[in-house]
Amino acid sequence: MASAGTSAFGKFWNSSVGPKTIHFWAPAMKWGLVIAGLGDLSRPVDQISVRQQLSLAATGLIWTRWSTIITPKNYSLAMVNFFVGCTAAYQLSRVALAGKKSEEKA
């Protein structure tokens, strides 16, 4: 039987981005922002905060890039930030399309 240090689980457990580090738990908890953003897709457009979505989109895109520059490279952090940015960008597009439609009606 392989020892804990050489098994796949042991390598994951002891890695620089494993569950014994913040590099694992920060992205895991940040998925809550993505889930909240997906929940807001059913929210009426007039209740979407443009400032909040702009800040989420900007930080999502900035941290996506940063996650691939830092040591250790944290691809799980890059992935969650990419989805945070995409969710916010989609919400901003909903606001922009609703504004365009209201201008056309007027």
Side-chain angles (χ1 to χ4, degrees), residues 51-101:
R51 287 182 179 181
Q52 178 183 15
Q53 297 305 321
L54 279 171
S55 66
L56 284 171
T59 58
L61 296 176
I62 290 167
W63 279 98
T64 297
R65 175 68 178 130
W66 182 252
S67 300
T68 61
I69 297 172
I70 60 174
T71 302
K73 292 191 184 323
N74 195 337
Y75 294 110
S76 61
L77 184 62
M79 186 170 59
V80 72
N81 280 302
F82 176 77
F83 282 104
V84 166
C86 288
T87 306
Y90 180 74
Q91 293 287 42
L92 289 169
S93 71
R94 287 182 59 211
V95 171
L97 288 174
K100 187 176 179 180
K101 286 181 183 179

Side-chain angles (χ1 to χ4, degrees), residues 20-72:
K20 294 196 294 186
T21 68
I22 190 67
H23 301 291
F24 174 83
W25 291 106
M29 296 299 116
K30 201 165 188 177
W31 279 107
L33 290 175
V34 176
I35 293 167
L38 293 174
D40 285 345
L41 294 178
S42 61
R43 181 181 292 224
V45 176
D46 61 335
Q47 294 181 358
I48 294 174
S49 169
V50 174
R51 287 182 179 181
Q52 178 183 15
Q53 297 305 321
L54 279 171
S55 66
L56 284 171
T59 58
L61 296 176
I62 290 167
W63 279 98
T64 297
R65 175 68 178 130
W66 182 252
S67 300
T68 61
I69 297 172
I70 60 174
T71 302

